[in-house]
Amino acid sequence: MQTRKLRDLEVSAVGMGCMGFSHGYGACPPESESIRLMRSAYEDYGCTFFDTAEVYAAYENEILVGKALKPIRDKIILATKFMPEVFLPNQEIPEGKTSRRGLRNAVEGSLKRLQTDYIDLYYEHRVPVNRDVAEVAEWMGELIKEGKIRAWGVSEATPEQIKRAHEVTPLTAVQSEYSIMERKYEVEVIPLCKELNIGFVAFSPMAGGFLSGKYSSKDKFEGDDVRRVITRFAPENMDANQALLDLLKKFAADKNATPAQISLAWMMCKNNFVVPIPGMRRDERLKENFGAADVVLDKNELATLEDALAKIKIYGDRKDTDIKKLGTIKTVAKS
């Protein structure tokens, strides 16, 4: 697979978001199947970029990812995150989690669960509005010097927070939701990343799977499936957004590709520092999503697609506060 740079980290053009192996999108595959799929991503498709977080199923996802990737650890780029305002088991400390000690406690836990001596890319999962991001940037710089992490990033940060953090310890990546259906970061954040040579990692690049065209308003989302509370998956919005899928299908047919591949190629062809990390839990999804790296949209095709997108209204969005209310962040980890 082709590669691209997140500042100084070289990663596959398409990475693998691993959250769905443990929670968030309905029933999860058996552990053995999840491990097989993660290893297949590297062995069969050349994916070298894997993303997890301590908060995904309260440690369970990090443990699973660590087990899956241990045999190929030296061949891949491993990213994880700490959630500053969410306490998980064994993280209650007097100074609070957003402290030097709290951060060290979090990173040491992730290192142990991931069965590794270092983390390639360590994110602050959300940036609290009432904290100075420069403090975390300073502590991240210490961890880089000690070799516990190679690089750091922030998720869902504002332009001001990105600038402030970058001044203290240069950021390698910003991770936020980005897709054809969610484009707010194109206004300021993505141009700022380009200016400062910071990579942009797009989570939910398939808009929770909607852009694959494989769901309809008749589908029901149950249990801990986050799509229960994401308004774009309300039946009336799914029907209203059919015009977008029709457009993607037309472009896909012209390029001998799928709507999912057009959705991923669209963002990769616009900026060479943007790396999508779709979730994928079946062999056919691995083939489809990693195959998007080979779909090329030239300037004229991109312009035509952008003109058509400008005429389409998107209904519904993703509400992070509602997702937290859903309870996808488990409070008790398995022993």
Side-chain angles (χ1 to χ4, degrees), residues 145-202:
K145 289 178 182 178
E146 294 170 21
K148 294 186 183 296
I149 67 175
R150 291 179 61 195
W152 84 291
V154 289
S155 180
E156 300 284 300
T158 67
E160 293 72 24
Q161 290 169 333
I162 292 169
K163 292 175 186 177
R164 177 72 170 145
H166 190 69
E167 288 174 352
V168 179
T169 302
L171 288 161
T172 288
V174 170
Q175 183 181 135
S176 297
E177 182 183 10
Y178 180 44
S179 72
I180 281 179
M181 299 187 80
E182 181 51 81
R183 301 179 61 175
K184 64 183 178 183
Y185 291 105
E186 288 184 338
V187 179
E188 294 183 86
V189 171
I190 291 177
L192 178 62
C193 286
K194 183 176 183 179
E195 176 187 339
L196 298 178
N197 188 28
I198 300 170
F200 187 93
V201 177

Side-chain angles (χ1 to χ4, degrees), residues 38-66:
M38 279 185 261
R39 291 179 182 171
S40 175
Y42 169 75
E43 295 167 357
D44 299 324
Y45 299 99
C47 174
T48 61
F49 189 34
F50 296 83
D51 182 271
T52 182
E54 62 169 23
V55 79
Y56 296 161
Y59 302 150
E60 292 176 22
N61 196 247
E62 280 191 327
I63 293 169
L64 175 63
V65 170

Side-chain angles (χ1 to χ4, degrees), residues 24-231:
Y25 289 96
C28 300
E31 179 181 288
S32 59
E33 177 67 358
S34 295
I35 290 173
R36 184 190 70 79
L37 288 167
M38 279 185 261
R39 291 179 182 171
S40 175
Y42 169 75
E43 295 167 357
D44 299 324
Y45 299 99
C47 174
T48 61
F49 189 34
F50 296 83
D51 182 271
T52 182
E54 62 169 23
V55 79
Y56 296 161
Y59 302 150
E60 292 176 22
N61 196 247
E62 280 191 327
I63 293 169
L64 175 63
V65 170
K67 186 182 296 186
L69 301 182
K70 185 176 181 179
I72 55 173
R73 177 64 188 95
D74 61 334
K75 299 177 176 64
I76 57 98
I77 298 297
L78 184 55
T80 191
K81 319 172 194 70
F82 87 100
M83 182 69 84
E85 294 185 307
V86 174
F87 284 92
L88 297 169
N90 302 317
Q91 290 186 330
E92 294 282 359
I93 57 175
E95 301 96 319
K97 196 170 178 183
T98 46
S99 65
R100 180 180 277 107
R101 182 181 171 191
L103 177 58
R104 285 181 174 274
N105 184 43
V107 76
E108 291 292 351
S110 288
L111 287 168
K112 182 178 180 180
R113 291 184 291 274
L114 292 167
Q115 302 185 57
T116 184
D117 296 326
Y118 66 96
I119 294 164
D120 295 290
L121 179 55
Y122 195 52
Y123 293 99
E124 183 173 19
H125 206 153
R126 294 292 185 271
V127 182
V129 296
N130 60 341
R131 298 284 302 194
D132 185 358
V133 69
E135 287 184 310
V136 172
E138 180 182 349
W139 303 329
M140 289 287 194
E142 295 171 357
L143 294 174
I144 291 172
K145 289 178 182 178
E146 294 170 21
K148 294 186 183 296
I149 67 175
R150 291 179 61 195
W152 84 291
V154 289
S155 180
E156 300 284 300
T158 67
E160 293 72 24
Q161 290 169 333
I162 292 169
K163 292 175 186 177
R164 177 72 170 145
H166 190 69
E167 288 174 352
V168 179
T169 302
L171 288 161
T172 288
V174 170
Q175 183 181 135
S176 297
E177 182 183 10
Y178 180 44
S179 72
I180 281 179
M181 299 187 80
E182 181 51 81
R183 301 179 61 175
K184 64 183 178 183
Y185 291 105
E186 288 184 338
V187 179
E188 294 183 86
V189 171
I190 291 177
L192 178 62
C193 286
K194 183 176 183 179
E195 176 187 339
L196 298 178
N197 188 28
I198 300 170
F200 187 93
V201 177
F203 78 73
S204 199
M206 300 300 302
F210 181 84
L211 293 171
S212 70
K214 296 176 173 63
Y215 297 97
S216 74
S217 58
K218 296 180 181 179
D219 288 295
K220 294 186 181 298
F221 304 102
E222 301 174 338
D224 83 337
D225 196 316
V226 297
R227 290 170 291 194
R228 284 204 298 121
V229 296
I230 296 176
T231 58

